[in-house]
Amino acid sequence: MTDEARAGDARLADRIRSGETQALGELYDRYGGTALATALRVVGSREEAEDVVHDAFVTLWRKIDRFDAQRGSLRAWLMTVVRNRGIDRIRARRSTVDIEAADERSLLRTGPNPTWDAVVTRTSVNELREALATLPEEQRRSVELAYFEGYTYREVATLTGVPPGTANGRMRLALAKLRDALSASSVSPNAAREGAFTEEATS
Amino acid sequence: MTASQALDCATVDELAPAYGLGAVEPGEEQAVSLHLTTCPEPHAEARELIDAATLVSSTLEPVAPSAALRDRLMATIAATPQDRVVAPQRAYVPAPEPRRRWWSMGALPSAVTAVALAAAIGLGAWGVSANAELAERDAVLQTVASADVAYRVSGPAGDGWVLQSGEEAMFMADDLQTLPAGRHYALWLIHADGTTVRTGAVTDTDGVSVAPLEDVLSGAVTFVVTVEEHVVETPSSEPVLTAQLGA
């Protein structure tokens, strides 16, 4: 995402807030591909993944009045809702969890600080992928179990046969590497690649 | 753990990666969110890791949705109303002319649900700024969650709420203006026939102020707050906060 795209997100949020359905359509065109990829990675079924994406965008439409651009990005919120709803579908024990409450909690999450935000906007998707791909297996697996499969860090610990502190530590190292990849990208001559976060569907 | 359990800074820092990945229990998630919202410490490392977690989805190759999905989505939202948050109402509502005693005037702004109140607090409208107040804020959230109905109170002194749960009610406000020594906020219920009943007082304005109402809301049409120097039977000054009840 470029700075321009980020500003565009803020404008889209304002238009959606004013009830402009076309603005939501534009948001969908911008992020639908990544939203579907995330949902598909979580639920595994294309049909179900499309339902998740549909529900996530409807949630965003309904709750846009509660979104505060000062607290985080529209994209991050959308992906969190997609992820939450995907996890809700795959985890039987979460069938008793109030997904609406989970959506509410997603709005409580703190947003990027300005410096970090500037770094993020200059980072390419490929660099992120490379950073994740080159993680040690146990770190990458911890992230995947948590983010895409919906396990808590305690459950990740049980699944991987380590103490909870170790599971959390692996997540910390993995995220730190992602963060460092972003930081390195921000000082790279090629850092400000335009359209780095353009999320047009490629398949 | 429960949401009412406050976390210390070290625990929040420790949980940050799992929190960012959505891998903590709901109670922990809420507690971490509240801590990061209210703690005066920067928690820079924790915030960076949380932000990094938001990019995990970007490591996936986008997948083209079907055209039918877009059509279905657009049809759905065309028929789906948007939730609206009741915005704080700072504007003071003056007494109408011809002038009459303000406390006999009619209803003021509308009521909101407890859900809307919780939403407003969740979005930071309830600006508790000190870590020491986290437990107090948790208690506030618990109270809000259990309220049957909430009425927005607003005026030049700030914003607050009247919460009703069963027959009991309480007044809550955040960061009310500090008063000169010897003065307090007096709480009043005004009934349709003009009867005005003093129903409580607030003297501590540091952080979130909470005061139970001494009378039931039933029959009252307006709630007001005035600044008083003495305990009086009827208000002696203009209202600094008002709310319509039962709307």
Side-chain angles (χ1 to χ4, degrees), chain A residues 138 142-143 146 151-173, chain B residues 11 13-19 21 23-25 28:
Chain A
E138 67 274 12
S142 294
V143 168
Y151 292 105
T152 68
Y153 72 93
R154 292 187 184 90
E155 292 169 329
V156 171
T158 300
L159 290 167
T160 56
V162 298
T166 301
N168 212 1
R170 288 173 175 174
M171 295 177 196
R172 176 180 299 279
L173 291 170
Chain B
T11 303
D13 288 341
E14 182 184 337
L15 288 175
Y19 169 85
L21 291 166
V24 292
E25 299 293 341
E28 289 174 320

PDB file of all heavy atoms in Angstrom, chain A residues 138 142-143 146 151-173, chain B residues 11 13-19 21 23-25 28:
ATOM      1  N   GLU A 138       9.849 -24.042  13.398  1.00  0.00           N
ATOM      2  CA  GLU A 138       9.031 -23.987  14.620  1.00  0.00           C
ATOM      3  C   GLU A 138       8.421 -22.598  14.819  1.00  0.00           C
ATOM      4  O   GLU A 138       7.309 -22.466  15.347  1.00  0.00           O
ATOM      5  CB  GLU A 138       9.851 -24.396  15.855  1.00  0.00           C
ATOM      6  CG  GLU A 138      10.959 -23.446  16.253  1.00  0.00           C
ATOM      7  CD  GLU A 138      12.258 -23.699  15.515  1.00  0.00           C
ATOM      8  OE1 GLU A 138      12.244 -24.469  14.528  1.00  0.00           O
ATOM      9  OE2 GLU A 138      13.298 -23.128  15.909  1.00  0.00           O
ATOM     10  N   SER A 142       4.366 -21.903  14.519  1.00  0.00           N
ATOM     11  CA  SER A 142       3.663 -21.263  15.637  1.00  0.00           C
ATOM     12  C   SER A 142       2.765 -20.139  15.139  1.00  0.00           C
ATOM     13  O   SER A 142       1.618 -19.993  15.589  1.00  0.00           O
ATOM     14  CB  SER A 142       4.676 -20.711  16.659  1.00  0.00           C
ATOM     15  OG  SER A 142       5.381 -21.757  17.277  1.00  0.00           O
ATOM     16  N   VAL A 143       3.286 -19.368  14.217  1.00  0.00           N
ATOM     17  CA  VAL A 143       2.479 -18.275  13.657  1.00  0.00           C
ATOM     18  C   VAL A 143       1.286 -18.833  12.897  1.00  0.00           C
ATOM     19  O   VAL A 143       0.151 -18.357  13.038  1.00  0.00           O
ATOM     20  CB  VAL A 143       3.348 -17.391  12.731  1.00  0.00           C
ATOM     21  CG1 VAL A 143       2.472 -16.439  11.916  1.00  0.00           C
ATOM     22  CG2 VAL A 143       4.352 -16.603  13.552  1.00  0.00           C
ATOM     23  N   ALA A 146      -1.395 -20.242  15.145  1.00  0.00           N
ATOM     24  CA  ALA A 146      -2.120 -19.190  15.862  1.00  0.00           C
ATOM     25  C   ALA A 146      -2.998 -18.388  14.921  1.00  0.00           C
ATOM     26  O   ALA A 146      -4.205 -18.243  15.153  1.00  0.00           O
ATOM     27  CB  ALA A 146      -1.125 -18.264  16.566  1.00  0.00           C
ATOM     28  N   TYR A 151      -5.482 -21.307  17.046  1.00  0.00           N
ATOM     29  CA  TYR A 151      -5.119 -21.834  18.359  1.00  0.00           C
ATOM     30  C   TYR A 151      -4.548 -20.718  19.229  1.00  0.00           C
ATOM     31  O   TYR A 151      -3.836 -19.833  18.738  1.00  0.00           O
ATOM     32  CB  TYR A 151      -4.086 -22.956  18.217  1.00  0.00           C
ATOM     33  CG  TYR A 151      -4.646 -24.191  17.565  1.00  0.00           C
ATOM     34  CD1 TYR A 151      -4.333 -24.509  16.250  1.00  0.00           C
ATOM     35  CD2 TYR A 151      -5.500 -25.038  18.269  1.00  0.00           C
ATOM     36  CE1 TYR A 151      -4.854 -25.639  15.638  1.00  0.00           C
ATOM     37  CE2 TYR A 151      -6.033 -26.171  17.668  1.00  0.00           C
ATOM     38  CZ  TYR A 151      -5.698 -26.471  16.354  1.00  0.00           C
ATOM     39  OH  TYR A 151      -6.226 -27.580  15.747  1.00  0.00           O
ATOM     40  N   THR A 152      -4.872 -20.799  20.502  1.00  0.00           N
ATOM     41  CA  THR A 152      -4.257 -19.854  21.432  1.00  0.00           C
ATOM     42  C   THR A 152      -2.804 -20.265  21.651  1.00  0.00           C
ATOM     43  O   THR A 152      -2.397 -21.384  21.330  1.00  0.00           O
ATOM     44  CB  THR A 152      -4.983 -19.846  22.787  1.00  0.00           C
ATOM     45  OG1 THR A 152      -4.766 -21.110  23.430  1.00  0.00           O
ATOM     46  CG2 THR A 152      -6.477 -19.591  22.605  1.00  0.00           C
ATOM     47  N   TYR A 153      -2.050 -19.362  22.214  1.00  0.00           N
ATOM     48  CA  TYR A 153      -0.638 -19.697  22.414  1.00  0.00           C
ATOM     49  C   TYR A 153      -0.481 -20.873  23.373  1.00  0.00           C
ATOM     50  O   TYR A 153       0.458 -21.658  23.267  1.00  0.00           O
ATOM     51  CB  TYR A 153       0.154 -18.474  22.886  1.00  0.00           C
ATOM     52  CG  TYR A 153      -0.095 -18.033  24.299  1.00  0.00           C
ATOM     53  CD1 TYR A 153       0.708 -18.486  25.346  1.00  0.00           C
ATOM     54  CD2 TYR A 153      -1.132 -17.168  24.611  1.00  0.00           C
ATOM     55  CE1 TYR A 153       0.478 -18.072  26.651  1.00  0.00           C
ATOM     56  CE2 TYR A 153      -1.371 -16.755  25.897  1.00  0.00           C
ATOM     57  CZ  TYR A 153      -0.560 -17.209  26.921  1.00  0.00           C
ATOM     58  OH  TYR A 153      -0.801 -16.802  28.208  1.00  0.00           O
ATOM     59  N   ARG A 154      -1.425 -21.033  24.279  1.00  0.00           N
ATOM     60  CA  ARG A 154      -1.347 -22.183  25.178  1.00  0.00           C
ATOM     61  C   ARG A 154      -1.604 -23.477  24.407  1.00  0.00           C
ATOM     62  O   ARG A 154      -0.961 -24.501  24.639  1.00  0.00           O
ATOM     63  CB  ARG A 154      -2.374 -22.030  26.304  1.00  0.00           C
ATOM     64  CG  ARG A 154      -2.071 -20.897  27.275  1.00  0.00           C
ATOM     65  CD  ARG A 154      -3.030 -20.898  28.453  1.00  0.00           C
ATOM     66  NE  ARG A 154      -2.804 -19.757  29.341  1.00  0.00           N
ATOM     67  CZ  ARG A 154      -3.406 -18.579  29.209  1.00  0.00           C
ATOM     68  NH1 ARG A 154      -4.269 -18.397  28.239  1.00  0.00           N
ATOM     69  NH2 ARG A 154      -3.142 -17.587  30.049  1.00  0.00           N
ATOM     70  N   GLU A 155      -2.569 -23.397  23.480  1.00  0.00           N
ATOM     71  CA  GLU A 155      -2.853 -24.572  22.656  1.00  0.00           C
ATOM     72  C   GLU A 155      -1.692 -24.855  21.703  1.00  0.00           C
ATOM     73  O   GLU A 155      -1.362 -26.030  21.453  1.00  0.00           O
ATOM     74  CB  GLU A 155      -4.146 -24.347  21.871  1.00  0.00           C
ATOM     75  CG  GLU A 155      -5.381 -24.313  22.759  1.00  0.00           C
ATOM     76  CD  GLU A 155      -6.626 -23.837  22.035  1.00  0.00           C
ATOM     77  OE1 GLU A 155      -6.490 -23.017  21.100  1.00  0.00           O
ATOM     78  OE2 GLU A 155      -7.726 -24.263  22.421  1.00  0.00           O
ATOM     79  N   VAL A 156      -1.104 -23.809  21.184  1.00  0.00           N
ATOM     80  CA  VAL A 156       0.066 -23.998  20.328  1.00  0.00           C
ATOM     81  C   VAL A 156       1.164 -24.698  21.117  1.00  0.00           C
ATOM     82  O   VAL A 156       1.855 -25.593  20.616  1.00  0.00           O
ATOM     83  CB  VAL A 156       0.562 -22.641  19.781  1.00  0.00           C
ATOM     84  CG1 VAL A 156       1.909 -22.799  19.083  1.00  0.00           C
ATOM     85  CG2 VAL A 156      -0.473 -22.050  18.827  1.00  0.00           C
ATOM     86  N   ALA A 157       1.310 -24.294  22.359  1.00  0.00           N
ATOM     87  CA  ALA A 157       2.322 -24.924  23.205  1.00  0.00           C
ATOM     88  C   ALA A 157       2.051 -26.416  23.347  1.00  0.00           C
ATOM     89  O   ALA A 157       2.955 -27.251  23.216  1.00  0.00           O
ATOM     90  CB  ALA A 157       2.332 -24.245  24.574  1.00  0.00           C
ATOM     91  N   THR A 158       0.799 -26.761  23.588  1.00  0.00           N
ATOM     92  CA  THR A 158       0.443 -28.168  23.748  1.00  0.00           C
ATOM     93  C   THR A 158       0.681 -28.931  22.445  1.00  0.00           C
ATOM     94  O   THR A 158       1.246 -30.038  22.450  1.00  0.00           O
ATOM     95  CB  THR A 158      -1.040 -28.294  24.148  1.00  0.00           C
ATOM     96  OG1 THR A 158      -1.237 -27.600  25.397  1.00  0.00           O
ATOM     97  CG2 THR A 158      -1.449 -29.751  24.298  1.00  0.00           C
ATOM     98  N   LEU A 159       0.245 -28.342  21.348  1.00  0.00           N
ATOM     99  CA  LEU A 159       0.378 -29.006  20.053  1.00  0.00           C
ATOM    100  C   LEU A 159       1.834 -29.223  19.647  1.00  0.00           C
ATOM    101  O   LEU A 159       2.157 -30.184  18.955  1.00  0.00           O
ATOM    102  CB  LEU A 159      -0.339 -28.187  18.967  1.00  0.00           C
ATOM    103  CG  LEU A 159      -1.867 -28.171  19.038  1.00  0.00           C
ATOM    104  CD1 LEU A 159      -2.438 -27.103  18.124  1.00  0.00           C
ATOM    105  CD2 LEU A 159      -2.415 -29.550  18.649  1.00  0.00           C
ATOM    106  N   THR A 160       2.659 -28.312  20.066  1.00  0.00           N
ATOM    107  CA  THR A 160       4.065 -28.407  19.652  1.00  0.00           C
ATOM    108  C   THR A 160       4.953 -28.955  20.767  1.00  0.00           C
ATOM    109  O   THR A 160       6.174 -29.054  20.588  1.00  0.00           O
ATOM    110  CB  THR A 160       4.588 -27.022  19.200  1.00  0.00           C
ATOM    111  OG1 THR A 160       4.389 -26.072  20.261  1.00  0.00           O
ATOM    112  CG2 THR A 160       3.855 -26.549  17.963  1.00  0.00           C
ATOM    113  N   GLY A 161       4.357 -29.267  21.893  1.00  0.00           N
ATOM    114  CA  GLY A 161       5.100 -29.929  22.955  1.00  0.00           C
ATOM    115  C   GLY A 161       6.118 -29.056  23.662  1.00  0.00           C
ATOM    116  O   GLY A 161       7.182 -29.524  24.065  1.00  0.00           O
ATOM    117  N   VAL A 162       5.771 -27.783  23.804  1.00  0.00           N
ATOM    118  CA  VAL A 162       6.689 -26.875  24.503  1.00  0.00           C
ATOM    119  C   VAL A 162       5.897 -26.098  25.545  1.00  0.00           C
ATOM    120  O   VAL A 162       4.662 -26.047  25.492  1.00  0.00           O
ATOM    121  CB  VAL A 162       7.371 -25.891  23.527  1.00  0.00           C
ATOM    122  CG1 VAL A 162       8.222 -26.648  22.505  1.00  0.00           C
ATOM    123  CG2 VAL A 162       6.321 -25.025  22.824  1.00  0.00           C
ATOM    124  N   PRO A 163       6.563 -25.489  26.497  1.00  0.00           N
ATOM    125  CA  PRO A 163       5.853 -24.656  27.469  1.00  0.00           C
ATOM    126  C   PRO A 163       5.225 -23.437  26.788  1.00  0.00           C
ATOM    127  O   PRO A 163       5.705 -22.984  25.730  1.00  0.00           O
ATOM    128  CB  PRO A 163       6.958 -24.218  28.445  1.00  0.00           C
ATOM    129  CG  PRO A 163       8.067 -25.198  28.243  1.00  0.00           C
ATOM    130  CD  PRO A 163       8.000 -25.600  26.801  1.00  0.00           C
ATOM    131  N   PRO A 164       4.147 -22.893  27.370  1.00  0.00           N
ATOM    132  CA  PRO A 164       3.502 -21.706  26.766  1.00  0.00           C
ATOM    133  C   PRO A 164       4.475 -20.552  26.537  1.00  0.00           C
ATOM    134  O   PRO A 164       4.378 -19.853  25.524  1.00  0.00           O
ATOM    135  CB  PRO A 164       2.435 -21.329  27.806  1.00  0.00           C
ATOM    136  CG  PRO A 164       2.110 -22.623  28.479  1.00  0.00           C
ATOM    137  CD  PRO A 164       3.407 -23.379  28.541  1.00  0.00           C
ATOM    138  N   GLY A 165       5.388 -20.367  27.453  1.00  0.00           N
ATOM    139  CA  GLY A 165       6.346 -19.281  27.288  1.00  0.00           C
ATOM    140  C   GLY A 165       7.209 -19.458  26.045  1.00  0.00           C
ATOM    141  O   GLY A 165       7.554 -18.493  25.362  1.00  0.00           O
ATOM    142  N   THR A 166       7.530 -20.710  25.755  1.00  0.00           N
ATOM    143  CA  THR A 166       8.329 -20.993  24.559  1.00  0.00           C
ATOM    144  C   THR A 166       7.513 -20.737  23.291  1.00  0.00           C
ATOM    145  O   THR A 166       8.012 -20.159  22.317  1.00  0.00           O
ATOM    146  CB  THR A 166       8.812 -22.451  24.571  1.00  0.00           C
ATOM    147  OG1 THR A 166       9.599 -22.662  25.756  1.00  0.00           O
ATOM    148  CG2 THR A 166       9.641 -22.766  23.336  1.00  0.00           C
ATOM    149  N   ALA A 167       6.251 -21.170  23.319  1.00  0.00           N
ATOM    150  CA  ALA A 167       5.387 -20.918  22.155  1.00  0.00           C
ATOM    151  C   ALA A 167       5.251 -19.426  21.908  1.00  0.00           C
ATOM    152  O   ALA A 167       5.348 -18.951  20.765  1.00  0.00           O
ATOM    153  CB  ALA A 167       4.018 -21.548  22.386  1.00  0.00           C
ATOM    154  N   ASN A 168       5.036 -18.702  22.980  1.00  0.00           N
ATOM    155  CA  ASN A 168       4.913 -17.248  22.846  1.00  0.00           C
ATOM    156  C   ASN A 168       6.231 -16.653  22.367  1.00  0.00           C
ATOM    157  O   ASN A 168       6.253 -15.725  21.556  1.00  0.00           O
ATOM    158  CB  ASN A 168       4.505 -16.650  24.198  1.00  0.00           C
ATOM    159  CG  ASN A 168       3.634 -15.419  24.038  1.00  0.00           C
ATOM    160  OD1 ASN A 168       3.320 -15.012  22.923  1.00  0.00           O
ATOM    161  ND2 ASN A 168       3.256 -14.820  25.144  1.00  0.00           N
ATOM    162  N   GLY A 169       7.324 -17.199  22.864  1.00  0.00           N
ATOM    163  CA  GLY A 169       8.639 -16.712  22.448  1.00  0.00           C
ATOM    164  C   GLY A 169       8.885 -16.924  20.965  1.00  0.00           C
ATOM    165  O   GLY A 169       9.478 -16.083  20.284  1.00  0.00           O
ATOM    166  N   ARG A 170       8.410 -18.048  20.457  1.00  0.00           N
ATOM    167  CA  ARG A 170       8.563 -18.312  19.020  1.00  0.00           C
ATOM    168  C   ARG A 170       7.753 -17.317  18.196  1.00  0.00           C
ATOM    169  O   ARG A 170       8.200 -16.854  17.141  1.00  0.00           O
ATOM    170  CB  ARG A 170       8.119 -19.741  18.705  1.00  0.00           C
ATOM    171  CG  ARG A 170       9.094 -20.792  19.216  1.00  0.00           C
ATOM    172  CD  ARG A 170       8.558 -22.197  19.035  1.00  0.00           C
ATOM    173  NE  ARG A 170       9.552 -23.196  19.414  1.00  0.00           N
ATOM    174  CZ  ARG A 170       9.314 -24.508  19.469  1.00  0.00           C
ATOM    175  NH1 ARG A 170       8.095 -24.969  19.171  1.00  0.00           N
ATOM    176  NH2 ARG A 170      10.275 -25.349  19.814  1.00  0.00           N
ATOM    177  N   MET A 171       6.563 -17.033  18.665  1.00  0.00           N
ATOM    178  CA  MET A 171       5.754 -16.022  17.966  1.00  0.00           C
ATOM    179  C   MET A 171       6.456 -14.673  18.003  1.00  0.00           C
ATOM    180  O   MET A 171       6.454 -13.926  17.022  1.00  0.00           O
ATOM    181  CB  MET A 171       4.365 -15.909  18.613  1.00  0.00           C
ATOM    182  CG  MET A 171       3.520 -17.162  18.496  1.00  0.00           C
ATOM    183  SD  MET A 171       1.939 -16.973  19.365  1.00  0.00           S
ATOM    184  CE  MET A 171       1.421 -18.691  19.462  1.00  0.00           C
ATOM    185  N   ARG A 172       7.039 -14.379  19.132  1.00  0.00           N
ATOM    186  CA  ARG A 172       7.750 -13.102  19.269  1.00  0.00           C
ATOM    187  C   ARG A 172       8.889 -13.018  18.268  1.00  0.00           C
ATOM    188  O   ARG A 172       9.055 -12.007  17.574  1.00  0.00           O
ATOM    189  CB  ARG A 172       8.293 -12.971  20.690  1.00  0.00           C
ATOM    190  CG  ARG A 172       9.139 -11.715  20.914  1.00  0.00           C
ATOM    191  CD  ARG A 172       9.650 -11.657  22.334  1.00  0.00           C
ATOM    192  NE  ARG A 172       8.547 -11.615  23.283  1.00  0.00           N
ATOM    193  CZ  ARG A 172       7.863 -10.511  23.603  1.00  0.00           C
ATOM    194  NH1 ARG A 172       8.217  -9.357  23.069  1.00  0.00           N
ATOM    195  NH2 ARG A 172       6.861 -10.551  24.437  1.00  0.00           N
ATOM    196  N   LEU A 173       9.675 -14.078  18.174  1.00  0.00           N
ATOM    197  CA  LEU A 173      10.810 -14.070  17.249  1.00  0.00           C
ATOM    198  C   LEU A 173      10.329 -13.953  15.802  1.00  0.00           C
ATOM    199  O   LEU A 173      10.927 -13.245  14.983  1.00  0.00           O
ATOM    200  CB  LEU A 173      11.632 -15.351  17.435  1.00  0.00           C
ATOM    201  CG  LEU A 173      12.402 -15.454  18.760  1.00  0.00           C
ATOM    202  CD1 LEU A 173      12.978 -16.859  18.941  1.00  0.00           C
ATOM    203  CD2 LEU A 173      13.515 -14.407  18.805  1.00  0.00           C
TER     204      LEU A 173
ATOM    205  N   THR B  11       3.383  -8.258  31.761  1.00  0.00           N
ATOM    206  CA  THR B  11       2.512  -9.300  31.207  1.00  0.00           C
ATOM    207  C   THR B  11       2.001  -8.899  29.835  1.00  0.00           C
ATOM    208  O   THR B  11       1.909  -9.724  28.916  1.00  0.00           O
ATOM    209  CB  THR B  11       1.329  -9.555  32.161  1.00  0.00           C
ATOM    210  OG1 THR B  11       1.851  -9.919  33.445  1.00  0.00           O
ATOM    211  CG2 THR B  11       0.446 -10.665  31.642  1.00  0.00           C
ATOM    212  N   ASP B  13       3.484  -6.950  27.714  1.00  0.00           N
ATOM    213  CA  ASP B  13       4.589  -7.102  26.764  1.00  0.00           C
ATOM    214  C   ASP B  13       4.798  -8.564  26.397  1.00  0.00           C
ATOM    215  O   ASP B  13       5.095  -8.901  25.245  1.00  0.00           O
ATOM    216  CB  ASP B  13       5.871  -6.520  27.368  1.00  0.00           C
ATOM    217  CG  ASP B  13       5.827  -5.002  27.431  1.00  0.00           C
ATOM    218  OD1 ASP B  13       5.013  -4.394  26.705  1.00  0.00           O
ATOM    219  OD2 ASP B  13       6.607  -4.421  28.213  1.00  0.00           O
ATOM    220  N   GLU B  14       4.636  -9.433  27.376  1.00  0.00           N
ATOM    221  CA  GLU B  14       4.835 -10.853  27.133  1.00  0.00           C
ATOM    222  C   GLU B  14       3.750 -11.419  26.215  1.00  0.00           C
ATOM    223  O   GLU B  14       4.016 -12.247  25.356  1.00  0.00           O
ATOM    224  CB  GLU B  14       4.827 -11.603  28.466  1.00  0.00           C
ATOM    225  CG  GLU B  14       5.071 -13.100  28.344  1.00  0.00           C
ATOM    226  CD  GLU B  14       4.963 -13.790  29.693  1.00  0.00           C
ATOM    227  OE1 GLU B  14       5.135 -13.114  30.727  1.00  0.00           O
ATOM    228  OE2 GLU B  14       4.693 -14.999  29.710  1.00  0.00           O
ATOM    229  N   LEU B  15       2.529 -10.935  26.411  1.00  0.00           N
ATOM    230  CA  LEU B  15       1.406 -11.453  25.621  1.00  0.00           C
ATOM    231  C   LEU B  15       1.283 -10.802  24.247  1.00  0.00           C
ATOM    232  O   LEU B  15       0.504 -11.270  23.408  1.00  0.00           O
ATOM    233  CB  LEU B  15       0.085 -11.236  26.382  1.00  0.00           C
ATOM    234  CG  LEU B  15      -0.162 -12.118  27.606  1.00  0.00           C
ATOM    235  CD1 LEU B  15      -1.450 -11.705  28.307  1.00  0.00           C
ATOM    236  CD2 LEU B  15      -0.234 -13.595  27.201  1.00  0.00           C
ATOM    237  N   ALA B  16       1.999  -9.745  24.018  1.00  0.00           N
ATOM    238  CA  ALA B  16       1.816  -8.962  22.792  1.00  0.00           C
ATOM    239  C   ALA B  16       1.876  -9.786  21.508  1.00  0.00           C
ATOM    240  O   ALA B  16       1.009  -9.623  20.634  1.00  0.00           O
ATOM    241  CB  ALA B  16       2.819  -7.809  22.749  1.00  0.00           C
ATOM    242  N   PRO B  17       2.863 -10.675  21.325  1.00  0.00           N
ATOM    243  CA  PRO B  17       2.882 -11.435  20.058  1.00  0.00           C
ATOM    244  C   PRO B  17       1.628 -12.281  19.869  1.00  0.00           C
ATOM    245  O   PRO B  17       1.027 -12.276  18.792  1.00  0.00           O
ATOM    246  CB  PRO B  17       4.137 -12.313  20.211  1.00  0.00           C
ATOM    247  CG  PRO B  17       4.986 -11.612  21.213  1.00  0.00           C
ATOM    248  CD  PRO B  17       4.032 -10.971  22.177  1.00  0.00           C
ATOM    249  N   ALA B  18       1.245 -12.998  20.917  1.00  0.00           N
ATOM    250  CA  ALA B  18       0.039 -13.832  20.812  1.00  0.00           C
ATOM    251  C   ALA B  18      -1.192 -12.963  20.619  1.00  0.00           C
ATOM    252  O   ALA B  18      -2.100 -13.302  19.845  1.00  0.00           O
ATOM    253  CB  ALA B  18      -0.106 -14.700  22.057  1.00  0.00           C
ATOM    254  N   TYR B  19      -1.231 -11.842  21.292  1.00  0.00           N
ATOM    255  CA  TYR B  19      -2.349 -10.905  21.127  1.00  0.00           C
ATOM    256  C   TYR B  19      -2.439 -10.445  19.676  1.00  0.00           C
ATOM    257  O   TYR B  19      -3.511 -10.427  19.064  1.00  0.00           O
ATOM    258  CB  TYR B  19      -2.132  -9.723  22.063  1.00  0.00           C
ATOM    259  CG  TYR B  19      -3.043  -8.545  21.832  1.00  0.00           C
ATOM    260  CD1 TYR B  19      -4.306  -8.482  22.406  1.00  0.00           C
ATOM    261  CD2 TYR B  19      -2.623  -7.465  21.047  1.00  0.00           C
ATOM    262  CE1 TYR B  19      -5.140  -7.386  22.205  1.00  0.00           C
ATOM    263  CE2 TYR B  19      -3.437  -6.371  20.838  1.00  0.00           C
ATOM    264  CZ  TYR B  19      -4.701  -6.331  21.423  1.00  0.00           C
ATOM    265  OH  TYR B  19      -5.507  -5.249  21.210  1.00  0.00           O
ATOM    266  N   LEU B  21      -1.502 -11.908  17.077  1.00  0.00           N
ATOM    267  CA  LEU B  21      -1.909 -13.005  16.198  1.00  0.00           C
ATOM    268  C   LEU B  21      -3.300 -13.527  16.523  1.00  0.00           C
ATOM    269  O   LEU B  21      -3.752 -14.503  15.922  1.00  0.00           O
ATOM    270  CB  LEU B  21      -0.887 -14.153  16.310  1.00  0.00           C
ATOM    271  CG  LEU B  21       0.495 -13.853  15.726  1.00  0.00           C
ATOM    272  CD1 LEU B  21       1.513 -14.885  16.196  1.00  0.00           C
ATOM    273  CD2 LEU B  21       0.446 -13.800  14.204  1.00  0.00           C
ATOM    274  N   ALA B  23      -4.188 -14.914  19.318  1.00  0.00           N
ATOM    275  CA  ALA B  23      -3.983 -16.218  19.955  1.00  0.00           C
ATOM    276  C   ALA B  23      -4.028 -16.132  21.473  1.00  0.00           C
ATOM    277  O   ALA B  23      -3.333 -16.872  22.161  1.00  0.00           O
ATOM    278  CB  ALA B  23      -2.646 -16.812  19.497  1.00  0.00           C
ATOM    279  N   VAL B  24      -4.845 -15.241  21.976  1.00  0.00           N
ATOM    280  CA  VAL B  24      -5.077 -15.172  23.419  1.00  0.00           C
ATOM    281  C   VAL B  24      -6.566 -15.374  23.664  1.00  0.00           C
ATOM    282  O   VAL B  24      -7.381 -15.254  22.742  1.00  0.00           O
ATOM    283  CB  VAL B  24      -4.620 -13.822  24.019  1.00  0.00           C
ATOM    284  CG1 VAL B  24      -3.115 -13.692  23.976  1.00  0.00           C
ATOM    285  CG2 VAL B  24      -5.285 -12.658  23.291  1.00  0.00           C
ATOM    286  N   GLU B  25      -6.900 -15.696  24.893  1.00  0.00           N
ATOM    287  CA  GLU B  25      -8.303 -15.873  25.237  1.00  0.00           C
ATOM    288  C   GLU B  25      -9.016 -14.509  25.164  1.00  0.00           C
ATOM    289  O   GLU B  25      -8.373 -13.460  25.330  1.00  0.00           O
ATOM    290  CB  GLU B  25      -8.433 -16.445  26.646  1.00  0.00           C
ATOM    291  CG  GLU B  25      -7.791 -17.806  26.831  1.00  0.00           C
ATOM    292  CD  GLU B  25      -8.507 -18.905  26.046  1.00  0.00           C
ATOM    293  OE1 GLU B  25      -9.674 -18.684  25.663  1.00  0.00           O
ATOM    294  OE2 GLU B  25      -7.900 -19.960  25.803  1.00  0.00           O
ATOM    295  N   GLU B  28      -8.230 -12.139  27.943  1.00  0.00           N
ATOM    296  CA  GLU B  28      -6.883 -11.594  27.827  1.00  0.00           C
ATOM    297  C   GLU B  28      -6.822 -10.527  26.744  1.00  0.00           C
ATOM    298  O   GLU B  28      -6.158  -9.504  26.899  1.00  0.00           O
ATOM    299  CB  GLU B  28      -5.897 -12.719  27.494  1.00  0.00           C
ATOM    300  CG  GLU B  28      -5.643 -13.688  28.628  1.00  0.00           C
ATOM    301  CD  GLU B  28      -4.773 -14.856  28.196  1.00  0.00           C
ATOM    302  OE1 GLU B  28      -4.967 -15.358  27.059  1.00  0.00           O
ATOM    303  OE2 GLU B  28      -3.917 -15.266  28.978  1.00  0.00           O
TER     304      GLU B  28
END
